């Protein structure tokens, strides 16, 4: 399963890539399979979205703990 970043337009070619993803809470490494549209890939907006994603990523365990605490 790949996480989709950005928008993939109808009938647009997709690009698959891998990121080195770590949970921002526990530092656990998680699989980094990602997918995006070919037109969006490597644009400044794409790079900014990936940076924000990596700074805010929580693994499933930390995400569930966060939900239960709220």
């Amino acid at each position: 399963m790949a996480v989709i970043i950005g928008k993939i337009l109808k009938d647009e070619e997709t690009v698959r890539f891998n990121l080195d993803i770590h949970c921002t809470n526990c530092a656990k490494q998680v699989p980094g399979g990602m997918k995006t549209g070919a037109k969006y890939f490597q644009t400044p907006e794409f790079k900014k979205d990936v940076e924000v994603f990596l700074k805010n990523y929580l693994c499933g365990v930390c995400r569930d703990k966060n939900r239960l605490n709220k």
Side-chain angles (χ1 to χ4, degrees):
M1 183 173 158
V3 174
I4 297 173
I5 295 250
K7 295 179 181 177
I8 300 174
L9 302 173
K10 184 179 178 180
D11 298 328
E12 181 181 12
E13 190 175 323
T14 60
V15 177
R16 290 183 176 265
F17 58 98
N18 287 310
L19 292 175
D20 186 27
I21 303 173
H22 293 273
C23 176
T24 56
N25 189 44
C26 69
K28 179 175 142 182
Q29 185 172 3
V30 295
M34 309 293 280
K35 182 166 65 169
T36 192
K39 292 179 184 177
Y40 181 68
F41 187 62
Q42 296 297 331
T43 63
E45 293 84 17
F46 166 79
K47 292 176 183 178
K48 183 178 178 181
D49 287 346
V50 168
E51 184 179 322
V52 169
F53 176 80
L54 292 174
K55 286 182 181 178
N56 297 308
Y57 185 82
L58 294 175
C59 69
V61 173
C62 291
R63 186 177 56 242
D64 291 345
K65 284 180 185 177
N66 192 24
R67 284 184 190 163
L68 291 174
N69 290 336
K70 289 184 177 181

